[in-house]
Amino acid sequence: MSVASVHGLVVSASLALAPARLTGQVALNHIYVYLDSSSYQAIAASPFVRDSFATMREATVSDAKGSWRGLYLFGQETYLELYRAGPNTPPPGTVAFAFGVDRAGELDEVAARLRGAGRPGVRVTRRRAIGSDTIPWFHQLSPAELDSAAIAPSVRWWVMEYDGAYLARRPPGDLTLNGRTDRAGYNRQLYRPDLAVRDIAGLVLRLPEPVRRALAEQLTTLGFTRQAGSEPLRFVAGAFAIELHSTTGEAGELTEVRFTTTRDQAPSRRLFGSAELTVDGDRSTLRIARQSEAGPFAGCPLASRRVMVGKRQVATCTGGVSGPLVVFESGLGDGISVWSRVLGQVSNVTRVMAYDRAGIGGSAPAGGPRDGRRVAAELAELLDALGEDRPVILVGHSLGGLFVRAFREVWPRRVSGMVLVDPTPEGFFARQRELVGADLFAANRAATMARLQGTALEEWTAIPESEAAVGGRDDSPRMRGSLLSAGKIQSPDPVVGPKAKAIWLDLHRTMAARLGLSHQVVEGAGHYLQLEVPDRIAEEVRRLVEEDAKAEGRKRLHLSGGPAYRFLDRTPGADGRGGWEGLTVNVGWEYPLSTKVGLILGIGGYWGGSAVTLEAIPDDDCPLQMPCAPPNPSPDRGVSGSVLHARIGLAIGNRRLGGGLGAIVGHAKGALDPAGAGAFAEFRFQPMARFSGLTLGLLGYAMWPAPGHTEAVVSPTIGVRF
C-alpha cells in the first residue's frame, strides 16, 4: 500500500474524555504513518515527546510475515505507530487505521454487516511468536475495495479481533475482562496518565471524491452516524469522529489525528525535521510539511533538482552563495532529509549540496556493488556532471564517513576539507565481535539484516569492502577539518552499550589523530548529531569555509574602471576647465579578515585627459592680496592629464551583497605640488552562484598641481571580482 502524493499530516490534541466505544461493536485500535527520515529521527530524539507528551518506545515487532521497526506513542486504549520511510518502504505520509472488536466472534458480525451492504471483506489471520510457540495473534477483516485502484492508493483500514490464545499469554497476563478485550490492560504497562496524551479521538482525511464516497458508505455500515451539514462529511460514534474532506488530487492524505488529553498544556512550538509540533492550551498539532511545500524531495529546504549522470537521475538539494561547495553525504539508507536542519545555516555563507545516493529517495538505482569505492566514483561523476572542478568540503555522517574518505582516497586534490559526523570507524565491528562473542554478534547482525532492504541492505553487507577502501592517504598533511562524536549511550544492550561506545570513541580518537582532524565529543547527543545539534555541524563547516576564504584572499582580484569627469580651476570663482575626458582604471585585491569583512588594497590611475599648462599666480592676482606663489616661482609648468593613485579600504558584507569604503592618495605628473587625496565607495553584488560578482562604484579625488589651481576627478566605475 502506498500513496502517489502526500500533502500533510497534523496531529492535534484537545482536553476531553477518553473516546467512547463506537456504535456497534468496533472501537479505534491504532493508526500508523510513515515519516521522512529526518522527522522520524528528530521525534525519536525529542525529550519533550518522550518525557512530557506521550509514552514513546522504539521497538521491532515480528510476525510470521516479517518484522518492522517503529516508534510507538501509547494512549490509554489506543496508540500511534510512526515508521521511517526508506528506499523499499511506502513513501512518507502513507497511513492506515485499524478498528477493533472486543468480544470473540464479533468480527463475524461485522463481516455479515458488510456482506449485507454488498461490501464483502477479505479475512486473514496474523500469527506471532510467543516463547517457542507461534500462535494466532489477531484476525483481520479488510474491505474488498482495498484491492482496487480506486481506494488502495489513498487510504487503508481494517477491523481486527485479537485471538483469545494471544490475549491469554500476552504479558502482563490474561487481557480479557468480563468476556471482552481489556483494552486499557493491553496498554497498561506503557500508558502514563501523568503525560499529556490520553487517547486518539479523531481523524481528518482529504480524499479524491470516489474514494471519499466509498469510505463514507463503509463507515455508515460500521455504525457511524453522519452529522448534519454538507461539507466536510463528518461521521461520529461516541467521542470519536472522522472528517472526510474532498480534494482534487489523485491521492488522499491524512491531515489530522486528534488526541484527548489529560491536562492543559503550556504553549510551545517545536520542529522535528519537516514536522512541526505546536502546543497551545488544550490543543496540540503535529504537522508534516506537504510535498508541495517541501519541494519534490522530502526534507530539502532549498532548491530541489534532478541531475542526469549518464543515463541515471540523481536527486540533489542545492543552494547558497559564492564559495566552495559543501557536499553532504548521508549514512546507511538515508537521503537528503537528514540534513534539512543544517543546509539552511550553511547556505548563508557558501554553496551546499545534499543528494540521494543511487537507489535512495529520489535517485534512480545503479548497478554494481554499494561499497565505498563505488559510491565515491558515483559522487565524482555527479560533480563532473555539475561542472564542479574546484575542491569541495565533504561532510559525512555514519557510514557516509567511510564514503567521503573513500572519495578522498582516490581524488585527494578535489577535497579541501572534511567534517565527519559520528562516522563509522573501520575495525569497529571486529572489536564489537570480540566484546560480545561470536554468537551474540551473529544474532545481532542477522536481526539488523532482517530489518534492512534494498540499497540499505547492500550498503550494510558491503561495509568490509568500504573499510578496505580507506587508509592509503589518510595521513596526508593536506587534511583539514574535524570529527564530531556522539557522546550519548543509546542503550544498555551490550552490543551497543557502554563498552561498545567506549570502543567507538577510542577508534574515533585514533582516526582523528591519523587524519589530522580535531576531535570533539558532543555529550548528551545521539548518533544523528545533525538533527539534535545542527548548529555544531554548521559551525564546523563555516570554520572551514572561512579558512578557505582567507587562503584564497590573495587571489581575489578586482578590476574596475569608468569614464572620468575632470575639473581644473585656475582660481576660486574663476572660469575653470572641466568636462568628461579620460578614463579611470583600478586594480585591487581583497584580503578577507573574516567571512564578512575584508581589507581592500589597490592601485590605479586616471589617463587620457588633455595636457594643461599651469602658471603660478602672482601675488597681485590673489584674492585679498594673500600670497599664493612661492618666493621664486618656477616657470610655466604642465600637467600631462595623468594621475596615479593608491587605494586602501574595508569591504563589508557577505558573498552575495556588500560594499566598500576607503581613501585614495594620488600623484599628478608634472605638477608643482603632485600630492592629492580622495575617497571611493563601491557596491558589489553577485548575480550568479558561480560568478564572483560585479561592482558598481564611485571614486573621486582632488589635487592642487600648482598654487592657485585645483584639479578634481570624479569617476563612476563598474568592475568584476574574480
Side-chain angles (χ1 to χ4, degrees), residues 300-341:
C300 174
L302 305 173
S304 300
R305 175 188 175 193
R306 282 188 169 88
V307 179
M308 291 301 300
V309 180
K311 297 181 179 180
R312 185 173 60 87
Q313 285 190 335
V314 178
T316 66
C317 179
T318 60
V321 297
S322 177
L325 179 66
V326 181
V327 178
F328 293 86
E329 188 74 60
S330 306
L332 177 69
D334 287 335
I336 291 169
S337 62
V338 296
W339 300 107
S340 60
R341 292 187 169 190

Short mmCIF file of all heavy atoms in Angstrom, two decimals, residues 300-341:
data_model
loop_
_atom_site.label_atom_id
_atom_site.label_comp_id
_atom_site.label_asym_id
_atom_site.label_seq_id
_atom_site.Cartn_x
_atom_site.Cartn_y
_atom_site.Cartn_z
N CYS A 300 14.12 18.78 1.77
CA CYS A 300 15.03 19.74 1.13
C CYS A 300 14.51 21.14 1.36
O CYS A 300 13.47 21.51 0.81
CB CYS A 300 15.16 19.45 -0.36
SG CYS A 300 16.14 20.70 -1.25
N PRO A 301 15.21 21.97 2.15
CA PRO A 301 14.74 23.33 2.39
C PRO A 301 15.19 24.32 1.32
O PRO A 301 14.85 25.50 1.39
CB PRO A 301 15.39 23.67 3.74
CG PRO A 301 16.68 22.93 3.72
CD PRO A 301 16.41 21.66 2.95
N LEU A 302 15.96 23.86 0.34
CA LEU A 302 16.50 24.74 -0.69
C LEU A 302 15.92 24.34 -2.05
O LEU A 302 14.76 23.94 -2.13
CB LEU A 302 18.03 24.66 -0.67
CG LEU A 302 18.68 24.97 0.69
CD1 LEU A 302 20.17 24.70 0.64
CD2 LEU A 302 18.40 26.40 1.11
N ALA A 303 16.71 24.42 -3.10
CA ALA A 303 16.23 24.10 -4.45
C ALA A 303 16.43 22.62 -4.75
O ALA A 303 17.55 22.11 -4.67
CB ALA A 303 16.97 24.95 -5.48
N SER A 304 15.35 21.93 -5.08
CA SER A 304 15.43 20.52 -5.47
C SER A 304 15.67 20.41 -6.97
O SER A 304 15.07 21.13 -7.76
CB SER A 304 14.13 19.79 -5.11
OG SER A 304 13.89 19.85 -3.73
N ARG A 305 16.55 19.49 -7.33
CA ARG A 305 16.90 19.36 -8.75
C ARG A 305 17.33 17.94 -9.04
O ARG A 305 18.07 17.33 -8.25
CB ARG A 305 18.04 20.32 -9.08
CG ARG A 305 18.58 20.21 -10.50
CD ARG A 305 19.83 21.06 -10.66
NE ARG A 305 20.46 20.89 -11.95
CZ ARG A 305 21.67 21.32 -12.26
NH1 ARG A 305 22.38 21.98 -11.36
NH2 ARG A 305 22.19 21.12 -13.46
N ARG A 306 16.87 17.39 -10.15
CA ARG A 306 17.35 16.09 -10.60
C ARG A 306 18.43 16.32 -11.66
O ARG A 306 18.21 17.03 -12.64
CB ARG A 306 16.21 15.25 -11.16
CG ARG A 306 15.35 14.62 -10.08
CD ARG A 306 14.34 13.64 -10.65
NE ARG A 306 13.71 12.86 -9.62
CZ ARG A 306 12.61 13.22 -8.96
NH1 ARG A 306 12.04 14.37 -9.28
NH2 ARG A 306 12.09 12.47 -8.02
N VAL A 307 19.57 15.70 -11.46
CA VAL A 307 20.72 15.87 -12.35
C VAL A 307 20.92 14.56 -13.12
O VAL A 307 20.94 13.48 -12.52
CB VAL A 307 21.99 16.22 -11.55
CG1 VAL A 307 23.19 16.36 -12.48
CG2 VAL A 307 21.77 17.51 -10.76
N MET A 308 21.07 14.67 -14.42
CA MET A 308 21.34 13.48 -15.23
C MET A 308 22.83 13.16 -15.15
O MET A 308 23.68 13.97 -15.53
CB MET A 308 20.93 13.71 -16.69
CG MET A 308 19.44 13.80 -16.90
SD MET A 308 18.55 12.31 -16.36
CE MET A 308 19.32 11.06 -17.44
N VAL A 309 23.14 11.99 -14.64
CA VAL A 309 24.52 11.49 -14.57
C VAL A 309 24.56 10.26 -15.45
O VAL A 309 24.12 9.18 -15.06
CB VAL A 309 24.93 11.16 -13.13
CG1 VAL A 309 26.37 10.66 -13.10
CG2 VAL A 309 24.78 12.39 -12.23
N GLY A 310 25.09 10.43 -16.66
CA GLY A 310 24.97 9.37 -17.64
C GLY A 310 23.52 9.20 -18.02
O GLY A 310 22.85 10.14 -18.44
N LYS A 311 22.99 7.99 -17.81
CA LYS A 311 21.59 7.72 -18.11
C LYS A 311 20.75 7.64 -16.84
O LYS A 311 19.59 7.21 -16.88
CB LYS A 311 21.46 6.42 -18.89
CG LYS A 311 22.15 6.45 -20.25
CD LYS A 311 21.96 5.13 -20.99
CE LYS A 311 22.63 5.17 -22.36
NZ LYS A 311 22.45 3.89 -23.09
N ARG A 312 21.32 8.06 -15.73
CA ARG A 312 20.65 7.92 -14.43
C ARG A 312 20.38 9.28 -13.80
O ARG A 312 21.20 10.18 -13.88
CB ARG A 312 21.53 7.07 -13.50
CG ARG A 312 20.92 6.74 -12.16
CD ARG A 312 21.82 5.76 -11.42
NE ARG A 312 23.13 6.33 -11.21
CZ ARG A 312 23.45 7.09 -10.17
NH1 ARG A 312 22.54 7.38 -9.26
NH2 ARG A 312 24.68 7.56 -10.03
N GLN A 313 19.19 9.43 -13.18
CA GLN A 313 18.84 10.66 -12.49
C GLN A 313 19.28 10.60 -11.03
O GLN A 313 19.10 9.59 -10.36
CB GLN A 313 17.33 10.90 -12.55
CG GLN A 313 16.82 11.38 -13.89
CD GLN A 313 15.37 11.83 -13.81
OE1 GLN A 313 14.63 11.40 -12.95
NE2 GLN A 313 14.97 12.70 -14.72
N VAL A 314 19.84 11.72 -10.56
CA VAL A 314 20.27 11.84 -9.16
C VAL A 314 19.54 13.02 -8.54
O VAL A 314 19.56 14.13 -9.08
CB VAL A 314 21.79 12.04 -9.05
CG1 VAL A 314 22.21 12.22 -7.59
CG2 VAL A 314 22.53 10.86 -9.67
N ALA A 315 18.89 12.80 -7.41
CA ALA A 315 18.17 13.85 -6.70
C ALA A 315 19.15 14.67 -5.87
O ALA A 315 19.92 14.11 -5.08
CB ALA A 315 17.10 13.25 -5.80
N THR A 316 19.12 15.99 -6.04
CA THR A 316 20.01 16.86 -5.30
C THR A 316 19.21 17.98 -4.64
O THR A 316 18.13 18.35 -5.09
CB THR A 316 21.09 17.49 -6.20
OG1 THR A 316 20.46 18.37 -7.15
CG2 THR A 316 21.88 16.43 -6.94
N CYS A 317 19.77 18.53 -3.59
CA CYS A 317 19.22 19.68 -2.88
C CYS A 317 20.33 20.71 -2.79
O CYS A 317 21.34 20.46 -2.12
CB CYS A 317 18.73 19.27 -1.49
SG CYS A 317 18.04 20.63 -0.52
N THR A 318 20.21 21.82 -3.50
CA THR A 318 21.32 22.76 -3.64
C THR A 318 20.88 24.18 -3.33
O THR A 318 19.71 24.52 -3.39
CB THR A 318 21.90 22.72 -5.06
OG1 THR A 318 20.86 23.08 -6.00
CG2 THR A 318 22.43 21.34 -5.41
N GLY A 319 21.87 25.03 -3.03
CA GLY A 319 21.62 26.43 -2.78
C GLY A 319 22.85 27.09 -2.22
O GLY A 319 23.93 26.50 -2.17
N GLY A 320 22.71 28.35 -1.81
CA GLY A 320 23.82 29.05 -1.17
C GLY A 320 24.36 30.19 -1.99
O GLY A 320 23.80 30.57 -3.03
N VAL A 321 25.45 30.75 -1.51
CA VAL A 321 26.11 31.89 -2.14
C VAL A 321 27.50 31.47 -2.58
O VAL A 321 27.96 30.37 -2.32
CB VAL A 321 26.17 33.08 -1.16
CG1 VAL A 321 24.78 33.54 -0.80
CG2 VAL A 321 26.95 32.73 0.10
N SER A 322 28.20 32.40 -3.23
CA SER A 322 29.51 32.10 -3.80
C SER A 322 30.47 31.58 -2.73
O SER A 322 30.53 32.09 -1.61
CB SER A 322 30.09 33.35 -4.44
OG SER A 322 31.38 33.09 -4.95
N GLY A 323 31.22 30.56 -3.09
CA GLY A 323 32.18 29.97 -2.17
C GLY A 323 32.39 28.52 -2.52
O GLY A 323 31.80 27.98 -3.46
N PRO A 324 33.22 27.82 -1.75
CA PRO A 324 33.45 26.40 -2.02
C PRO A 324 32.17 25.60 -1.82
O PRO A 324 31.33 25.94 -0.99
CB PRO A 324 34.52 26.02 -1.00
CG PRO A 324 34.38 27.03 0.09
CD PRO A 324 33.99 28.30 -0.59
N LEU A 325 32.02 24.54 -2.59
CA LEU A 325 30.85 23.67 -2.47
C LEU A 325 31.04 22.73 -1.29
O LEU A 325 32.08 22.09 -1.15
CB LEU A 325 30.65 22.87 -3.75
CG LEU A 325 29.46 21.89 -3.74
CD1 LEU A 325 28.14 22.65 -3.67
CD2 LEU A 325 29.50 21.00 -4.99
N VAL A 326 30.01 22.63 -0.45
CA VAL A 326 29.99 21.68 0.66
C VAL A 326 29.05 20.55 0.28
O VAL A 326 27.87 20.79 0.01
CB VAL A 326 29.54 22.34 1.97
CG1 VAL A 326 29.55 21.33 3.11
CG2 VAL A 326 30.43 23.53 2.32
N VAL A 327 29.56 19.33 0.25
CA VAL A 327 28.78 18.16 -0.14
C VAL A 327 28.44 17.35 1.12
O VAL A 327 29.35 17.00 1.89
CB VAL A 327 29.53 17.28 -1.14
CG1 VAL A 327 28.72 16.04 -1.49
CG2 VAL A 327 29.87 18.07 -2.40
N PHE A 328 27.16 17.05 1.32
CA PHE A 328 26.70 16.32 2.49
C PHE A 328 26.40 14.87 2.09
O PHE A 328 25.57 14.63 1.21
CB PHE A 328 25.47 16.98 3.09
CG PHE A 328 25.75 18.33 3.69
CD1 PHE A 328 25.73 19.48 2.91
CD2 PHE A 328 26.04 18.45 5.04
CE1 PHE A 328 25.98 20.72 3.45
CE2 PHE A 328 26.31 19.70 5.59
CZ PHE A 328 26.28 20.84 4.81
N GLU A 329 27.06 13.93 2.75
CA GLU A 329 26.92 12.50 2.47
C GLU A 329 26.21 11.84 3.65
O GLU A 329 26.68 11.89 4.79
CB GLU A 329 28.29 11.86 2.26
CG GLU A 329 28.23 10.43 1.78
CD GLU A 329 27.82 10.31 0.32
OE1 GLU A 329 28.54 10.86 -0.54
OE2 GLU A 329 26.78 9.68 0.05
N SER A 330 25.06 11.22 3.40
CA SER A 330 24.23 10.64 4.46
C SER A 330 24.72 9.25 4.85
O SER A 330 25.54 8.64 4.17
CB SER A 330 22.78 10.59 4.00
OG SER A 330 22.33 11.86 3.59
N GLY A 331 24.16 8.76 5.96
CA GLY A 331 24.51 7.44 6.46
C GLY A 331 23.71 6.34 5.79
O GLY A 331 23.04 6.54 4.77
N LEU A 332 23.73 5.18 6.40
CA LEU A 332 23.13 3.97 5.84
C LEU A 332 21.66 4.18 5.48
O LEU A 332 20.83 4.45 6.35
CB LEU A 332 23.25 2.83 6.86
CG LEU A 332 22.61 1.49 6.47
CD1 LEU A 332 23.40 0.85 5.32
CD2 LEU A 332 22.54 0.55 7.66
N GLY A 333 21.35 4.07 4.19
CA GLY A 333 19.98 4.15 3.72
C GLY A 333 19.33 5.51 3.81
O GLY A 333 18.17 5.66 3.44
N ASP A 334 20.05 6.52 4.33
CA ASP A 334 19.46 7.85 4.50
C ASP A 334 19.64 8.68 3.23
O ASP A 334 20.52 8.41 2.41
CB ASP A 334 20.12 8.59 5.67
CG ASP A 334 19.67 8.03 7.01
OD1 ASP A 334 18.58 7.46 7.07
OD2 ASP A 334 20.43 8.16 7.98
N GLY A 335 18.83 9.74 3.15
CA GLY A 335 18.90 10.63 2.00
C GLY A 335 19.03 12.08 2.40
O GLY A 335 19.55 12.42 3.48
N ILE A 336 18.52 12.95 1.56
CA ILE A 336 18.66 14.40 1.73
C ILE A 336 18.09 14.88 3.06
O ILE A 336 18.65 15.75 3.72
CB ILE A 336 17.95 15.12 0.56
CG1 ILE A 336 18.70 14.89 -0.75
CG2 ILE A 336 17.80 16.61 0.84
CD1 ILE A 336 17.94 15.33 -1.98
N SER A 337 16.96 14.31 3.48
CA SER A 337 16.19 14.89 4.58
C SER A 337 16.95 14.96 5.89
O SER A 337 16.64 15.81 6.73
CB SER A 337 14.89 14.09 4.78
OG SER A 337 15.17 12.75 5.14
N VAL A 338 17.93 14.08 6.13
CA VAL A 338 18.62 14.11 7.42
C VAL A 338 19.47 15.36 7.60
O VAL A 338 19.91 15.66 8.71
CB VAL A 338 19.52 12.86 7.62
CG1 VAL A 338 18.68 11.60 7.65
CG2 VAL A 338 20.58 12.76 6.54
N TRP A 339 19.69 16.11 6.51
CA TRP A 339 20.49 17.34 6.59
C TRP A 339 19.62 18.60 6.58
O TRP A 339 20.14 19.71 6.46
CB TRP A 339 21.48 17.40 5.42
CG TRP A 339 22.43 16.25 5.39
CD1 TRP A 339 22.43 15.21 4.52
CD2 TRP A 339 23.53 16.02 6.27
NE1 TRP A 339 23.45 14.34 4.80
CE2 TRP A 339 24.15 14.82 5.87
CE3 TRP A 339 24.06 16.73 7.36
CZ2 TRP A 339 25.26 14.31 6.53
CZ3 TRP A 339 25.17 16.21 8.02
CH2 TRP A 339 25.76 15.02 7.60
N SER A 340 18.31 18.44 6.69
CA SER A 340 17.41 19.59 6.50
C SER A 340 17.69 20.72 7.48
O SER A 340 17.47 21.89 7.16
CB SER A 340 15.95 19.13 6.64
OG SER A 340 15.72 18.57 7.92
N ARG A 341 18.16 20.41 8.68
CA ARG A 341 18.39 21.45 9.69
C ARG A 341 19.75 22.12 9.54
O ARG A 341 20.00 23.15 10.17
CB ARG A 341 18.29 20.84 11.09
CG ARG A 341 16.89 20.40 11.45
CD ARG A 341 16.82 19.97 12.90
NE ARG A 341 15.45 19.80 13.32
CZ ARG A 341 15.09 19.61 14.59
NH1 ARG A 341 16.00 19.56 15.53
NH2 ARG A 341 13.83 19.46 14.89
#
